[in-house]
Amino acid sequence: MTWIRALLVAALVAALPSAVSAAPQGRVVVAQGVDPTTLDPMNHTETPAANLCRNIFDTLLERDQDLKIQPALARELPKLIAPTVWEFKLRPDVKFHNGEPVDAEAVKFSLERLVDPKNKMRGSPTFAPLSNVEVVDALTVRIHTKAPWPILDTLMSTPQSAIVAPKYYRDKDTAVVSRAPVGSGPFRFVRWVKDDRIELEANEQYWRGAPRIKTLVFRPIPDDAVRVAALQNGEIDVAVNIPPHLANIIANHPKLFLTTAPSVRTIQLLYYTHQYDAQHKLVGPYPGPTADKRVRWAMNYAVDVDDIIKNVLDGKAQRLGLMLTDRHFGFDAGLKPIRQDLPKARQLLAEAGFPNGLEITLNSPQGRYVRDKEVAEALAGQLTKAGIRTTVRTHEWVHY
């Protein structure tokens, strides 16, 4: 597994909210790899959608640049009233873009909407321990959980726990609100031209103060080279997921600024072991070869992660022994990654009943992460050397 470093290029400072008196002005265009599938903050697990929703919606808590939990719509960090009860105090006089108040009723509606099984929200599984929300008074709520849930405060900083306007969302179909969102964040939604652009405008009544930027536009540009060219030509102002092999060229550009930061995203080789239906409910074990742990171990021993880091990611990644980085709760520095061992991989395949190897399909997103397709192709080549003949199938979008 690798710890990929996030690459961002900007021709000017990003449009962050700032408590200043000057009226918002100017326009910033941000290029992502793909268009989001939705702007319903609860109904996705997608980074591009999260980037949009972060600008439209607020959450009770948030992370600062050091990833520490800080108050947001909550005016202070929550108090643990009982092992299964957390109390949040809200900021006064905060409004949604349509004028509705951000109050205890809005928090109750939003979080219960997220976990209501009838709504089938894609972001809901992580919040399964949440039971219900109690309104104590207009600016106080208590979140009840089915059992002690020590990471509730962490989850209240994620985009899926966004607080939405209850009157606007209550009687509308998910498909409708996914195209016309209403939040309380620094920018309000203007229009969405599918696969072309999403336009936002400054919320001048934002509780933190009006953003410096008046208009914020997100454009999908799947091709890395086209995205970089658009940046160089001045068609866009900010580009994310710059390919590592282009980083030095961009860094030396006289009018552009390149920044890198350790990411908490990891790239993993995930194995399909169980089947799910269209509603994401477990059907049963997968009858294919990866259900056998010896096949999974063989695939692990077939992969040379260090080679991929060096030759595909231009050295801009760190190998890990698990899916967590050292910034994650639960990270264990004692777990070390295994080394490539092709003879052992072939031995394990033979023990699993595949002495002549086997054929698999490796699914990969395209345009979502830095060089994700190239990483998948490199993995396929390494697996094939161990007798695991691999076909790569790329998708413009993958939900997980």
Side-chain angles (χ1 to χ4, degrees), residues 100-112:
E100 291 184 52
V102 179
D103 57 13
E105 291 291 347
V107 174
K108 176 179 175 64
F109 170 81
S110 299
L111 297 182
E112 292 184 355

Side-chain angles (χ1 to χ4, degrees), residues 59-370:
T59 49
L60 291 174
L61 305 174
E62 64 185 9
R63 291 185 184 271
D64 62 20
Q65 63 182 8
D66 297 316
L67 302 183
K68 302 296 184 183
I69 299 294
Q70 302 292 349
L73 287 178
R75 65 175 185 258
E76 59 190 35
L77 293 176
K79 295 178 181 178
L80 189 63
I81 303 300
T84 60
V85 184
W86 296 70
E87 184 175 272
F88 287 80
K89 297 284 188 179
L90 305 178
R91 297 181 187 276
D93 303 319
V94 179
K95 301 286 186 181
F96 289 104
H97 300 153
N98 66 349
E100 291 184 52
V102 179
D103 57 13
E105 291 291 347
V107 174
K108 176 179 175 64
F109 170 81
S110 299
L111 297 182
E112 292 184 355
R113 174 181 186 261
L114 169 63
V115 298
D116 187 339
K118 296 193 300 294
N119 295 330
K120 300 176 182 178
M121 295 294 175
R122 293 206 304 269
S124 65
T126 307
F127 296 83
L130 199 155
S131 173
N132 65 285
V133 179
E134 172 193 357
V135 173
V136 178
D137 59 44
L139 295 176
T140 307
V141 295
R142 289 181 177 176
I143 299 177
H144 294 254
T145 60
K146 300 170 186 175
W149 192 23
I151 61 170
L152 179 141
D153 55 346
T154 297
L155 272 297
M156 289 301 123
S157 70
T158 61
Q160 288 75 22
S161 65
I163 307 304
V164 302
K167 291 180 181 177
Y168 178 79
Y169 278 79
R170 180 167 283 116
D171 299 320
K172 290 183 175 63
D173 185 84
T174 301
V176 174
V177 296
S178 72
R179 301 280 304 178
V182 171
S184 63
F187 290 88
R188 64 177 73 241
F189 175 80
V190 177
R191 67 179 58 85
W192 184 353
V193 181
K194 188 64 178 171
D195 296 321
D196 181 70
R197 69 190 186 279
I198 296 174
E199 297 180 13
L200 311 178
E201 68 178 11
N203 172 16
E204 298 194 31
Q205 283 72 51
Y206 189 47
W207 57 272
R208 280 186 167 122
R212 294 194 295 265
I213 302 301
K214 182 174 181 59
T215 303
L216 182 58
V217 180
F218 285 81
R219 286 184 53 194
I221 305 180
D223 187 277
D224 293 332
V226 176
R227 195 158 62 248
V228 171
L231 187 76
Q232 292 174 305
N233 295 335
E235 299 171 27
I236 61 175
D237 302 299
V238 179
V240 300
N241 290 354
I242 298 302
H245 66 288
L246 295 178
N248 291 335
I249 297 174
I250 295 297
N252 294 326
H253 193 285
K255 295 183 179 180
L256 301 178
F257 173 71
L258 173 74
T259 180
T260 70
S263 173
V264 292
R265 281 282 191 181
T266 54
I267 297 176
Q268 312 99 20
L269 182 58
L270 301 175
Y271 303 122
Y272 190 55
T273 61
H274 289 75
Q275 299 180 93
Y276 295 82
D277 63 17
Q279 283 71 47
H280 311 292
K281 291 183 179 180
L282 178 64
V283 174
Y286 170 58
T290 51
D292 191 317
K293 68 179 181 180
R294 292 169 296 187
V295 172
R296 302 196 298 271
W297 273 107
M299 295 174 73
N300 287 346
Y301 279 110
V303 173
D304 185 348
V305 173
D306 293 325
D307 179 75
I308 293 174
I309 291 175
K310 178 181 178 181
N311 295 306
V312 180
L313 299 176
D314 197 33
K316 294 178 173 65
Q318 177 182 334
R319 190 174 186 192
L320 298 170
L322 66 168
M323 293 173 63
L324 305 176
T325 74
D326 60 3
R327 296 190 173 204
H328 280 101
F329 173 79
F331 175 77
D332 186 349
L335 294 174
K336 303 298 182 182
I338 64 174
R339 297 289 177 183
Q340 185 185 45
D341 188 334
L342 295 179
K344 188 171 183 64
R346 297 187 185 100
Q347 175 190 341
L348 286 164
L349 286 177
E351 292 175 2
F354 300 98
N356 299 317
L358 73 155
E359 296 184 3
I360 65 168
T361 298
L362 180 61
N363 291 284
S364 168
Q366 183 174 2
R368 179 172 182 174
Y369 298 122
V370 176

